[in-house]
Amino acid sequence: MDKYKFLKKGAFENLEKFEKKLNEMVATGWRVVNFTNDHGGYVVLLERIR
């Protein structure tokens, strides 16, 4: 099982859809460690809480 994972929002992906996906991951035991902007999209580093 992965301990770290990157979640990327593409330039054309709807922000609400990305937020929903991020909230679903957090609800299943992942936490946001860091995030950055990447040429019109977002990259979020998630860590699995064990």
Side-chain angles (χ1 to χ4, degrees):
M1 188 178 277
D2 295 332
K3 182 169 179 171
Y4 294 98
K5 188 178 279 194
F6 287 102
L7 182 62
K8 298 179 183 177
K9 179 200 172 291
F12 300 107
E13 184 177 4
N14 187 335
L15 182 59
E16 288 79 21
K17 184 177 176 183
F18 177 74
E19 288 175 346
K20 182 179 178 186
K21 187 176 4 176
L22 180 58
N23 285 327
E24 288 171 356
M25 298 212 47
V26 169
T28 60
W30 292 89
R31 73 178 182 104
V32 175
V33 176
N34 203 347
F35 66 93
T36 187
N37 185 346
D38 180 36
H39 305 289
Y42 296 102
V43 179
V44 179
L45 175 61
L46 300 161
E47 178 182 31
R48 171 71 81 177
I49 301 170
R50 293 180 188 223

Short mmCIF file of all heavy atoms in Angstrom, two decimals:
data_model
loop_
_atom_site.label_atom_id
_atom_site.label_comp_id
_atom_site.label_asym_id
_atom_site.label_seq_id
_atom_site.Cartn_x
_atom_site.Cartn_y
_atom_site.Cartn_z
N MET A 1 0.85 -1.18 0.00
CA MET A 1 0.00 0.00 0.00
C MET A 1 0.89 1.25 0.00
O MET A 1 1.90 1.30 0.68
CB MET A 1 -0.91 0.00 1.23
CG MET A 1 -1.94 1.08 1.21
SD MET A 1 -3.03 1.03 2.63
CE MET A 1 -4.18 -0.20 2.08
N ASP A 2 0.52 2.24 -0.78
CA ASP A 2 1.29 3.47 -0.88
C ASP A 2 1.14 4.31 0.39
O ASP A 2 0.09 4.36 0.98
CB ASP A 2 0.82 4.31 -2.06
CG ASP A 2 1.06 3.63 -3.39
OD1 ASP A 2 2.00 2.82 -3.47
OD2 ASP A 2 0.32 3.91 -4.34
N LYS A 3 2.25 4.95 0.77
CA LYS A 3 2.18 5.87 1.89
C LYS A 3 2.02 7.31 1.42
O LYS A 3 1.42 8.13 2.10
CB LYS A 3 3.43 5.74 2.75
CG LYS A 3 3.38 6.64 3.96
CD LYS A 3 4.44 6.36 4.95
CE LYS A 3 4.27 7.36 6.10
NZ LYS A 3 5.09 7.07 7.21
N TYR A 4 2.56 7.62 0.23
CA TYR A 4 2.44 8.96 -0.34
C TYR A 4 1.83 8.87 -1.72
O TYR A 4 2.03 7.90 -2.43
CB TYR A 4 3.81 9.64 -0.44
CG TYR A 4 4.42 9.93 0.90
CD1 TYR A 4 5.35 9.07 1.46
CD2 TYR A 4 4.04 11.06 1.62
CE1 TYR A 4 5.91 9.33 2.70
CE2 TYR A 4 4.59 11.33 2.86
CZ TYR A 4 5.53 10.46 3.39
OH TYR A 4 6.06 10.73 4.61
N LYS A 5 1.11 9.91 -2.10
CA LYS A 5 0.46 9.93 -3.41
C LYS A 5 0.33 11.37 -3.87
O LYS A 5 0.13 12.27 -3.06
CB LYS A 5 -0.93 9.30 -3.29
CG LYS A 5 -1.65 9.09 -4.60
CD LYS A 5 -2.99 8.41 -4.36
CE LYS A 5 -2.76 6.93 -4.19
NZ LYS A 5 -3.99 6.14 -4.28
N PHE A 6 0.48 11.59 -5.18
CA PHE A 6 0.26 12.91 -5.77
C PHE A 6 -1.12 12.93 -6.40
O PHE A 6 -1.50 12.00 -7.10
CB PHE A 6 1.30 13.21 -6.85
CG PHE A 6 2.66 13.52 -6.31
CD1 PHE A 6 3.66 12.58 -6.33
CD2 PHE A 6 2.94 14.77 -5.77
CE1 PHE A 6 4.92 12.86 -5.84
CE2 PHE A 6 4.19 15.06 -5.27
CZ PHE A 6 5.19 14.10 -5.31
N LEU A 7 -1.85 13.99 -6.16
CA LEU A 7 -3.15 14.22 -6.79
C LEU A 7 -3.00 15.47 -7.64
O LEU A 7 -2.61 16.52 -7.13
CB LEU A 7 -4.23 14.41 -5.73
CG LEU A 7 -5.65 14.61 -6.23
CD1 LEU A 7 -6.13 13.38 -7.00
CD2 LEU A 7 -6.58 14.89 -5.06
N LYS A 8 -3.26 15.34 -8.95
CA LYS A 8 -3.05 16.45 -9.87
C LYS A 8 -4.38 16.93 -10.46
O LYS A 8 -5.21 16.12 -10.83
CB LYS A 8 -2.13 16.02 -11.01
CG LYS A 8 -0.76 15.60 -10.54
CD LYS A 8 0.11 15.16 -11.70
CE LYS A 8 1.45 14.67 -11.20
NZ LYS A 8 2.29 14.18 -12.28
N LYS A 9 -4.53 18.24 -10.51
CA LYS A 9 -5.68 18.84 -11.18
C LYS A 9 -5.19 19.38 -12.51
O LYS A 9 -4.28 20.19 -12.55
CB LYS A 9 -6.28 19.99 -10.37
CG LYS A 9 -7.46 20.65 -11.06
CD LYS A 9 -7.70 22.03 -10.51
CE LYS A 9 -8.73 22.77 -11.31
NZ LYS A 9 -8.30 23.15 -12.64
N GLY A 10 -5.78 18.92 -13.58
CA GLY A 10 -5.40 19.38 -14.90
C GLY A 10 -5.93 20.77 -15.19
O GLY A 10 -6.81 21.28 -14.50
N ALA A 11 -5.39 21.40 -16.20
CA ALA A 11 -5.77 22.77 -16.55
C ALA A 11 -7.24 22.87 -16.95
O ALA A 11 -7.87 23.90 -16.76
CB ALA A 11 -4.89 23.27 -17.69
N PHE A 12 -7.81 21.80 -17.50
CA PHE A 12 -9.19 21.85 -17.98
C PHE A 12 -10.17 21.13 -17.05
O PHE A 12 -11.35 21.06 -17.34
CB PHE A 12 -9.27 21.24 -19.38
CG PHE A 12 -8.42 21.98 -20.36
CD1 PHE A 12 -7.25 21.44 -20.82
CD2 PHE A 12 -8.79 23.26 -20.79
CE1 PHE A 12 -6.45 22.14 -21.72
CE2 PHE A 12 -8.00 23.96 -21.68
CZ PHE A 12 -6.82 23.40 -22.15
N GLU A 13 -9.69 20.59 -15.93
CA GLU A 13 -10.57 19.90 -14.98
C GLU A 13 -11.33 20.93 -14.14
O GLU A 13 -10.76 21.94 -13.72
CB GLU A 13 -9.75 18.99 -14.06
CG GLU A 13 -10.57 18.17 -13.11
CD GLU A 13 -9.73 17.23 -12.25
OE1 GLU A 13 -8.51 17.27 -12.34
OE2 GLU A 13 -10.33 16.47 -11.51
N ASN A 14 -12.57 20.67 -13.89
CA ASN A 14 -13.42 21.54 -13.08
C ASN A 14 -12.91 21.56 -11.64
O ASN A 14 -12.62 20.53 -11.06
CB ASN A 14 -14.84 20.99 -13.15
CG ASN A 14 -15.84 21.89 -12.50
OD1 ASN A 14 -15.52 22.66 -11.61
ND2 ASN A 14 -17.07 21.78 -12.94
N LEU A 15 -12.80 22.75 -11.04
CA LEU A 15 -12.30 22.89 -9.67
C LEU A 15 -13.19 22.14 -8.68
O LEU A 15 -12.68 21.49 -7.76
CB LEU A 15 -12.20 24.36 -9.28
CG LEU A 15 -11.64 24.64 -7.89
CD1 LEU A 15 -10.24 24.06 -7.73
CD2 LEU A 15 -11.64 26.13 -7.61
N GLU A 16 -14.50 22.19 -8.84
CA GLU A 16 -15.40 21.49 -7.92
C GLU A 16 -15.19 19.98 -7.97
O GLU A 16 -15.24 19.30 -6.95
CB GLU A 16 -16.86 21.83 -8.24
CG GLU A 16 -17.27 23.24 -7.86
CD GLU A 16 -16.82 24.30 -8.87
OE1 GLU A 16 -16.54 23.92 -10.04
OE2 GLU A 16 -16.72 25.47 -8.49
N LYS A 17 -14.95 19.45 -9.16
CA LYS A 17 -14.69 18.02 -9.32
C LYS A 17 -13.38 17.63 -8.61
O LYS A 17 -13.31 16.61 -7.93
CB LYS A 17 -14.61 17.67 -10.80
CG LYS A 17 -14.44 16.21 -11.09
CD LYS A 17 -14.44 15.95 -12.59
CE LYS A 17 -14.17 14.51 -12.89
NZ LYS A 17 -14.10 14.25 -14.33
N PHE A 18 -12.38 18.48 -8.75
CA PHE A 18 -11.10 18.23 -8.09
C PHE A 18 -11.26 18.28 -6.57
O PHE A 18 -10.73 17.43 -5.85
CB PHE A 18 -10.06 19.25 -8.55
CG PHE A 18 -8.73 19.12 -7.88
CD1 PHE A 18 -7.87 18.09 -8.21
CD2 PHE A 18 -8.33 20.04 -6.91
CE1 PHE A 18 -6.64 17.96 -7.59
CE2 PHE A 18 -7.11 19.92 -6.28
CZ PHE A 18 -6.25 18.88 -6.63
N GLU A 19 -11.99 19.28 -6.06
CA GLU A 19 -12.24 19.39 -4.62
C GLU A 19 -12.98 18.16 -4.09
O GLU A 19 -12.66 17.66 -3.01
CB GLU A 19 -13.03 20.64 -4.31
CG GLU A 19 -12.25 21.91 -4.46
CD GLU A 19 -13.09 23.16 -4.25
OE1 GLU A 19 -14.34 23.06 -4.25
OE2 GLU A 19 -12.50 24.24 -4.10
N LYS A 20 -13.95 17.68 -4.84
CA LYS A 20 -14.69 16.49 -4.43
C LYS A 20 -13.77 15.28 -4.34
O LYS A 20 -13.81 14.52 -3.36
CB LYS A 20 -15.82 16.22 -5.41
CG LYS A 20 -16.67 15.03 -5.03
CD LYS A 20 -17.80 14.80 -6.02
CE LYS A 20 -18.58 13.56 -5.61
NZ LYS A 20 -19.59 13.21 -6.58
N LYS A 21 -12.91 15.11 -5.34
CA LYS A 21 -11.96 14.00 -5.34
C LYS A 21 -11.00 14.10 -4.15
O LYS A 21 -10.71 13.12 -3.47
CB LYS A 21 -11.18 14.00 -6.66
CG LYS A 21 -10.30 12.82 -6.85
CD LYS A 21 -9.57 12.72 -8.19
CE LYS A 21 -9.72 13.84 -9.16
NZ LYS A 21 -8.90 13.68 -10.36
N LEU A 22 -10.51 15.32 -3.87
CA LEU A 22 -9.60 15.54 -2.75
C LEU A 22 -10.29 15.25 -1.42
O LEU A 22 -9.73 14.56 -0.56
CB LEU A 22 -9.09 16.98 -2.78
CG LEU A 22 -8.12 17.40 -1.69
CD1 LEU A 22 -6.88 16.51 -1.68
CD2 LEU A 22 -7.73 18.86 -1.87
N ASN A 23 -11.52 15.71 -1.25
CA ASN A 23 -12.27 15.44 -0.01
C ASN A 23 -12.55 13.96 0.18
O ASN A 23 -12.52 13.46 1.31
CB ASN A 23 -13.57 16.24 0.00
CG ASN A 23 -13.34 17.70 0.28
OD1 ASN A 23 -12.43 18.06 1.01
ND2 ASN A 23 -14.15 18.55 -0.31
N GLU A 24 -12.81 13.24 -0.90
CA GLU A 24 -13.01 11.80 -0.81
C GLU A 24 -11.74 11.09 -0.34
O GLU A 24 -11.80 10.17 0.47
CB GLU A 24 -13.44 11.23 -2.16
CG GLU A 24 -14.85 11.59 -2.54
CD GLU A 24 -15.22 11.21 -3.97
OE1 GLU A 24 -14.34 10.71 -4.72
OE2 GLU A 24 -16.38 11.43 -4.36
N MET A 25 -10.59 11.53 -0.83
CA MET A 25 -9.33 10.91 -0.41
C MET A 25 -9.05 11.19 1.06
O MET A 25 -8.61 10.32 1.79
CB MET A 25 -8.18 11.39 -1.30
CG MET A 25 -8.40 10.99 -2.73
SD MET A 25 -6.96 10.64 -3.71
CE MET A 25 -5.96 9.62 -2.73
N VAL A 26 -9.32 12.42 1.50
CA VAL A 26 -9.12 12.78 2.91
C VAL A 26 -10.05 11.94 3.80
O VAL A 26 -9.64 11.48 4.87
CB VAL A 26 -9.33 14.29 3.12
CG1 VAL A 26 -9.40 14.64 4.60
CG2 VAL A 26 -8.22 15.07 2.43
N ALA A 27 -11.26 11.72 3.36
CA ALA A 27 -12.22 10.93 4.14
C ALA A 27 -11.80 9.47 4.26
O ALA A 27 -12.22 8.78 5.18
CB ALA A 27 -13.61 11.03 3.51
N THR A 28 -10.97 8.99 3.33
CA THR A 28 -10.53 7.59 3.37
C THR A 28 -9.17 7.41 4.04
O THR A 28 -8.55 6.36 3.91
CB THR A 28 -10.49 6.97 1.96
OG1 THR A 28 -9.57 7.71 1.15
CG2 THR A 28 -11.87 6.96 1.34
N GLY A 29 -8.67 8.46 4.74
CA GLY A 29 -7.46 8.29 5.52
C GLY A 29 -6.21 8.96 4.97
O GLY A 29 -5.12 8.72 5.45
N TRP A 30 -6.35 9.80 3.98
CA TRP A 30 -5.21 10.55 3.44
C TRP A 30 -5.24 11.96 4.01
O TRP A 30 -6.30 12.49 4.30
CB TRP A 30 -5.27 10.63 1.92
CG TRP A 30 -5.05 9.31 1.25
CD1 TRP A 30 -6.02 8.40 0.94
CD2 TRP A 30 -3.82 8.75 0.83
NE1 TRP A 30 -5.45 7.31 0.33
CE2 TRP A 30 -4.10 7.50 0.25
CE3 TRP A 30 -2.50 9.17 0.87
CZ2 TRP A 30 -3.11 6.68 -0.27
CZ3 TRP A 30 -1.51 8.36 0.35
CH2 TRP A 30 -1.81 7.12 -0.22
N ARG A 31 -4.06 12.57 4.19
CA ARG A 31 -4.00 13.97 4.63
C ARG A 31 -3.10 14.75 3.69
O ARG A 31 -2.14 14.21 3.14
CB ARG A 31 -3.54 14.10 6.07
CG ARG A 31 -2.08 13.85 6.28
CD ARG A 31 -1.70 14.05 7.76
NE ARG A 31 -0.27 13.84 7.93
CZ ARG A 31 0.61 14.83 8.09
NH1 ARG A 31 0.19 16.06 8.15
NH2 ARG A 31 1.89 14.56 8.21
N VAL A 32 -3.39 16.02 3.52
CA VAL A 32 -2.61 16.89 2.65
C VAL A 32 -1.33 17.28 3.38
O VAL A 32 -1.37 17.77 4.50
CB VAL A 32 -3.41 18.15 2.26
CG1 VAL A 32 -2.55 19.10 1.45
CG2 VAL A 32 -4.66 17.76 1.48
N VAL A 33 -0.20 17.04 2.71
CA VAL A 33 1.09 17.41 3.27
C VAL A 33 1.55 18.73 2.67
O VAL A 33 2.06 19.60 3.38
CB VAL A 33 2.15 16.31 2.99
CG1 VAL A 33 3.52 16.72 3.48
CG2 VAL A 33 1.73 14.99 3.61
N ASN A 34 1.36 18.88 1.36
CA ASN A 34 1.81 20.08 0.67
C ASN A 34 1.03 20.23 -0.63
O ASN A 34 0.47 19.25 -1.12
CB ASN A 34 3.31 19.98 0.38
CG ASN A 34 3.97 21.33 0.19
OD1 ASN A 34 3.30 22.34 0.04
ND2 ASN A 34 5.29 21.33 0.18
N PHE A 35 1.02 21.42 -1.18
CA PHE A 35 0.40 21.63 -2.48
C PHE A 35 1.12 22.76 -3.21
O PHE A 35 1.78 23.59 -2.59
CB PHE A 35 -1.10 21.93 -2.35
CG PHE A 35 -1.41 23.23 -1.67
CD1 PHE A 35 -1.60 24.38 -2.41
CD2 PHE A 35 -1.50 23.29 -0.30
CE1 PHE A 35 -1.88 25.58 -1.79
CE2 PHE A 35 -1.78 24.49 0.34
CZ PHE A 35 -1.97 25.64 -0.41
N THR A 36 1.00 22.77 -4.53
CA THR A 36 1.64 23.80 -5.34
C THR A 36 0.84 24.02 -6.61
O THR A 36 0.01 23.19 -6.98
CB THR A 36 3.09 23.42 -5.68
OG1 THR A 36 3.73 24.52 -6.33
CG2 THR A 36 3.16 22.19 -6.56
N ASN A 37 1.10 25.12 -7.27
CA ASN A 37 0.48 25.45 -8.54
C ASN A 37 1.41 24.98 -9.65
O ASN A 37 2.62 25.21 -9.58
CB ASN A 37 0.26 26.97 -8.62
CG ASN A 37 -0.48 27.38 -9.85
OD1 ASN A 37 -0.65 26.63 -10.79
ND2 ASN A 37 -0.94 28.61 -9.84
N ASP A 38 0.87 24.33 -10.68
CA ASP A 38 1.69 23.82 -11.76
C ASP A 38 1.08 24.20 -13.11
O ASP A 38 0.27 23.46 -13.65
CB ASP A 38 1.82 22.29 -11.64
CG ASP A 38 2.66 21.69 -12.75
OD1 ASP A 38 3.63 22.33 -13.17
OD2 ASP A 38 2.32 20.59 -13.20
N HIS A 39 1.44 25.36 -13.65
CA HIS A 39 1.01 25.80 -14.97
C HIS A 39 -0.51 25.70 -15.17
O HIS A 39 -0.99 25.05 -16.08
CB HIS A 39 1.73 25.03 -16.07
CG HIS A 39 3.21 25.09 -15.95
ND1 HIS A 39 3.93 26.24 -16.22
CD2 HIS A 39 4.12 24.17 -15.58
CE1 HIS A 39 5.21 26.00 -16.03
NE2 HIS A 39 5.36 24.76 -15.63
N GLY A 40 -1.26 26.31 -14.28
CA GLY A 40 -2.71 26.33 -14.42
C GLY A 40 -3.42 25.20 -13.73
O GLY A 40 -4.63 25.12 -13.72
N GLY A 41 -2.70 24.30 -13.12
CA GLY A 41 -3.30 23.19 -12.38
C GLY A 41 -2.73 23.16 -10.97
O GLY A 41 -1.93 24.01 -10.59
N TYR A 42 -3.15 22.20 -10.20
CA TYR A 42 -2.64 22.03 -8.84
C TYR A 42 -2.06 20.65 -8.69
O TYR A 42 -2.53 19.69 -9.31
CB TYR A 42 -3.77 22.20 -7.81
CG TYR A 42 -4.38 23.58 -7.79
CD1 TYR A 42 -5.60 23.83 -8.40
CD2 TYR A 42 -3.73 24.61 -7.16
CE1 TYR A 42 -6.16 25.08 -8.39
CE2 TYR A 42 -4.29 25.89 -7.15
CZ TYR A 42 -5.50 26.11 -7.76
OH TYR A 42 -6.05 27.37 -7.76
N VAL A 43 -1.05 20.55 -7.83
CA VAL A 43 -0.48 19.27 -7.46
C VAL A 43 -0.52 19.21 -5.93
O VAL A 43 0.00 20.10 -5.26
CB VAL A 43 0.96 19.08 -7.97
CG1 VAL A 43 1.51 17.75 -7.53
CG2 VAL A 43 1.02 19.23 -9.48
N VAL A 44 -1.14 18.16 -5.40
CA VAL A 44 -1.28 18.00 -3.95
C VAL A 44 -0.55 16.73 -3.54
O VAL A 44 -0.75 15.67 -4.13
CB VAL A 44 -2.77 17.89 -3.56
CG1 VAL A 44 -2.91 17.71 -2.06
CG2 VAL A 44 -3.53 19.13 -4.01
N LEU A 45 0.33 16.85 -2.54
CA LEU A 45 1.01 15.69 -1.98
C LEU A 45 0.20 15.19 -0.79
O LEU A 45 -0.08 15.95 0.14
CB LEU A 45 2.43 16.04 -1.53
CG LEU A 45 3.21 14.95 -0.82
CD1 LEU A 45 3.39 13.72 -1.72
CD2 LEU A 45 4.55 15.48 -0.34
N LEU A 46 -0.22 13.93 -0.86
CA LEU A 46 -1.03 13.32 0.20
C LEU A 46 -0.21 12.25 0.91
O LEU A 46 0.61 11.57 0.29
CB LEU A 46 -2.27 12.68 -0.40
CG LEU A 46 -3.21 13.62 -1.15
CD1 LEU A 46 -4.12 12.84 -2.07
CD2 LEU A 46 -4.01 14.42 -0.17
N GLU A 47 -0.46 12.10 2.21
CA GLU A 47 0.20 11.07 3.02
C GLU A 47 -0.89 10.21 3.65
O GLU A 47 -1.88 10.71 4.15
CB GLU A 47 1.04 11.71 4.10
CG GLU A 47 1.72 10.71 5.01
CD GLU A 47 2.51 11.38 6.12
OE1 GLU A 47 2.12 12.48 6.58
OE2 GLU A 47 3.52 10.81 6.54
N ARG A 48 -0.68 8.90 3.62
CA ARG A 48 -1.63 7.95 4.23
C ARG A 48 -1.46 7.99 5.75
O ARG A 48 -0.35 7.85 6.25
CB ARG A 48 -1.38 6.55 3.72
CG ARG A 48 -2.14 5.46 4.42
CD ARG A 48 -3.61 5.48 4.14
NE ARG A 48 -3.87 4.83 2.86
CZ ARG A 48 -5.06 4.63 2.37
NH1 ARG A 48 -6.11 5.02 3.05
NH2 ARG A 48 -5.22 4.08 1.23
N ILE A 49 -2.54 8.18 6.46
CA ILE A 49 -2.54 8.13 7.92
C ILE A 49 -2.79 6.69 8.33
O ILE A 49 -3.79 6.10 7.96
CB ILE A 49 -3.62 9.05 8.50
CG1 ILE A 49 -3.39 10.49 8.05
CG2 ILE A 49 -3.66 8.96 10.02
CD1 ILE A 49 -4.53 11.42 8.37
N ARG A 50 -1.87 6.11 9.06
CA ARG A 50 -2.01 4.71 9.46
C ARG A 50 -2.31 4.57 10.91
O ARG A 50 -2.04 5.29 11.74
CB ARG A 50 -0.72 3.94 9.14
CG ARG A 50 -0.51 3.86 7.67
CD ARG A 50 0.74 3.11 7.38
NE ARG A 50 0.96 3.23 5.94
CZ ARG A 50 1.34 2.25 5.18
NH1 ARG A 50 1.54 1.08 5.69
NH2 ARG A 50 1.54 2.44 3.92
#
